[in-house]
Amino acid sequence: MKARYIFLVMVAGLLVSCTKSVKVTVTQEVINPCYLGNGIEWDPYDEAIPWGAALSDEDWNTLYERLDYMQPQYVRCMINSPFTYYTGKDFEDGRNSENIKKLLEYCQSRGVMVVYGEYNPPAWEMKGSKEWVEASVRHLNWLVAENGFTCIKHFVIFNEPDGNWASTNGDFAFWKEMVGRFQAEMDKYPALKGQVDIAGPDAVIDYANPASEYDAEGWLKATVENVPEVGIYDMHAYPGQRYVRSGEFEETLKKLKAMVDKPVILGEVGFKYFSDPADSTLAQEYWKRVEGHPFTKGSDCNMMVYDDFYALDMPLLLMSVMNSGFSAAAAWMLDDAMHSNGDSGRIEDIKLWGMWNILGAEVFGDPSQEEVRPWYYTWSLMCRHFPAGSKILELEGDLPENVASTAAQLPDGSYSVAFVNYGSESHPIDLKLPVSFEGYSLQTYHSGLEKKPVSNGRFVLPAQTFAIVSK
């Protein structure tokens, strides 16, 4: 058998020296037999309407083109019902539905799996109300049955219910009860039964709410043992740089995966550089950038999304996800224009986490924010070349410090192997595959790589990359 393979290389800066080659073998041992793919959080711009800047056709076309290049395998899409089907007095399916329809039309047409849900009930006092359960599920059915968005496969009923910022405030028993009630309501709709299941617990790894009886690990364990309605397990993660680069984060994921016999995904994933004392230099830079910033106060943002090193950290984190046995990860998040902090509508305090801000000119008076940021390119490489249906494979070999890797056999029988070198020293790789190969595509990204516009001028790609080499 002969197969082609994709060889992805992402490195930090210009490499300054060469050492003895490192022998790496891609084995036939399968870590995960059917990976669900990598994706992105893409929410429907709920606040664009009150900002008076509905997305234009040109904006949507730009988003579609950028996503077509990325090829996300799944999208997590969360709504705030006061911007959509809740008027403040009653419930109205189809209200302010233009953005959610455009988003889901894209996913439906490209075969993208959608994890859909609600951040919270319309008002916190409604969190246990019969009216909300009925209205929420009816709106879900309106999307799936009446509009044909069968790309929706999983349903999140509360975002991060373990958190003290959530209406549930860490009350596992209440969340469990609500899962049962939502499932019972979903079962009333033929288009939902067997088509959409509940994702949970949506808890945040390495977080513990003092008001909750469980930390995140406990939430997952209790869900596995007590909430049979859950069809796919879902967690969130915002580790620090040292935690990921040390390998500890991957070990944490492996421990969590060992608890479950179904796929477990990361519904949100990103870095927080100010939670670990070992990241103190990054934290200082973070808060320095926040001071006086016109768009954010820093309480929920990532000021490093502009940096080349973030373009290495994100695929590095993703390698931990893939190698640990988790089945998918959605990066938080696609676009700064999706949320203000607390969805308050304040444009001076947005959740600055994105690959760009599509409303940079219209709302924020800064067209440069609409430009693509470096981590878009590397996250795209990981989405494109580790698609849904891939088998994640075990690697053998002693990788040097500051280098990480992952590998997969793709549905078409070809292979993808990716390396991230976040150090300053080069390391030639002697790579062995389990089959003979007829050629390969070598794709690289390094910090400081020159960029150039593509023909349509809407976004830029790194020059000197994506070269095809045959052997």
Side-chain angles (χ1 to χ4, degrees), residues 81-378:
S81 54
F83 291 103
T84 53
Y85 68 84
Y86 183 62
T87 67
K89 295 181 179 179
D90 51 25
F91 302 98
E92 180 185 318
D93 292 330
R95 176 175 175 265
N96 294 335
S97 62
E98 179 180 359
N99 287 353
I100 187 71
K101 282 185 174 181
K102 283 185 175 292
L103 190 159
L104 292 175
E105 282 167 0
Y106 176 89
C107 295
Q108 185 75 22
S109 66
R110 271 68 165 183
V112 178
M113 178 187 77
V114 175
V115 179
Y116 162 85
E118 301 199 34
Y119 282 107
N120 269 299
W124 282 25
E125 61 270 19
M126 298 173 66
K127 65 182 181 180
S129 73
K130 179 175 181 291
E131 292 76 15
W132 174 52
V133 173
E134 293 175 346
S136 178
V137 175
R138 185 171 63 248
H139 187 257
L140 172 63
N141 185 70
W142 180 79
L143 291 170
V144 175
E146 297 185 36
N147 287 277
F149 295 128
T150 55
C151 55
I152 298 175
K153 303 298 184 185
H154 309 288
F155 184 36
V156 177
I157 65 171
F158 289 97
N159 179 67
E160 300 175 349
D162 59 323
N164 61 10
W165 52 85
S167 60
T168 49
N169 192 24
D171 188 337
F172 179 84
F174 172 75
W175 176 79
K176 175 181 179 297
E177 175 194 344
M178 293 303 292
V179 169
R181 290 173 59 185
F182 267 89
Q183 185 64 65
E185 189 66 23
M186 291 166 63
D187 287 344
K188 297 177 182 178
Y189 293 89
L192 300 182
K193 195 170 184 178
Q195 162 68 25
V196 182
D197 60 35
I198 291 177
D202 215 56
V204 183
I205 295 171
D206 293 316
Y207 168 78
N209 182 349
S212 179
E213 61 181 314
Y214 300 122
D215 60 8
E217 181 180 330
W219 266 78
L220 181 59
K221 184 174 186 292
T223 300
V224 171
E225 295 175 350
N226 301 295
V227 193
E229 296 90 347
V230 168
I232 191 169
Y233 297 109
D234 168 31
M235 302 291 282
H236 294 187
Y238 289 93
Q241 189 179 77
R242 180 211 60 83
Y243 189 31
V244 173
R245 293 185 176 187
S246 69
E248 293 178 33
F249 178 64
E250 184 172 323
E251 293 305 311
T252 296
L253 296 184
K254 287 179 178 178
K255 183 179 179 181
L256 294 173
K257 179 62 181 75
M259 298 180 182
V260 305
D261 58 1
K262 294 179 181 178
V264 55
I265 64 176
L266 287 181
E268 291 182 16
V269 64
F271 277 83
K272 288 190 174 179
Y273 293 112
F274 49 81
S275 58
D276 188 331
D279 298 335
S280 60
T281 300
L282 290 170
Q284 291 173 12
E285 177 63 21
Y286 175 92
W287 290 112
K288 178 182 177 182
R289 295 184 186 187
V290 167
E291 187 176 356
H293 197 283
F295 309 142
T296 186
K297 304 304 180 187
S299 56
D300 191 351
C301 70
N302 188 336
M303 302 307 298
M304 310 304 185
V305 292
Y306 303 96
D307 291 73
D308 283 310
F309 78 82
Y310 194 67
L312 301 180
D313 276 353
M314 285 300 284
L316 180 67
L317 187 158
L318 190 51
M319 288 177 176
S320 295
V321 174
M322 297 168 71
N323 293 339
S324 68
F326 271 56
S327 292
W332 178 269
M333 58 184 186
L334 184 71
D335 195 329
D336 294 351
M338 298 191 313
H339 295 286
S340 63
N341 192 17
D343 296 294
S344 63
R346 294 186 299 159
I347 62 172
E348 70 275 13
D349 192 14
I350 61 170
K351 295 191 176 189
L352 197 161
W353 283 88
M355 295 176 167
W356 53 73
N357 183 333
I358 201 65
L359 297 177
E362 298 93 323
V363 174
F364 301 91
D366 185 354
S368 70
Q369 299 301 318
E370 299 188 20
E371 297 173 3
V372 173
R373 297 166 189 163
W375 73 284
Y376 162 78
Y377 303 121
T378 53

Side-chain angles (χ1 to χ4, degrees), residues 20-36:
K20 184 178 180 181
S21 65
V22 178
K23 296 184 183 298
V24 177
T25 299
V26 179
T27 75
Q28 292 182 316
E29 183 176 348
V30 178
I31 297 172
N32 193 315
C34 188
Y35 196 66
L36 298 177

Side-chain angles (χ1 to χ4, degrees), residues 42-64:
W42 187 20
D43 297 341
Y45 303 95
D46 287 336
E47 293 173 274
I49 294 174
W51 286 342
L55 273 67
S56 66
D57 289 342
E58 183 179 3
D59 288 333
W60 283 108
N61 288 336
T62 298
L63 290 170
Y64 291 169

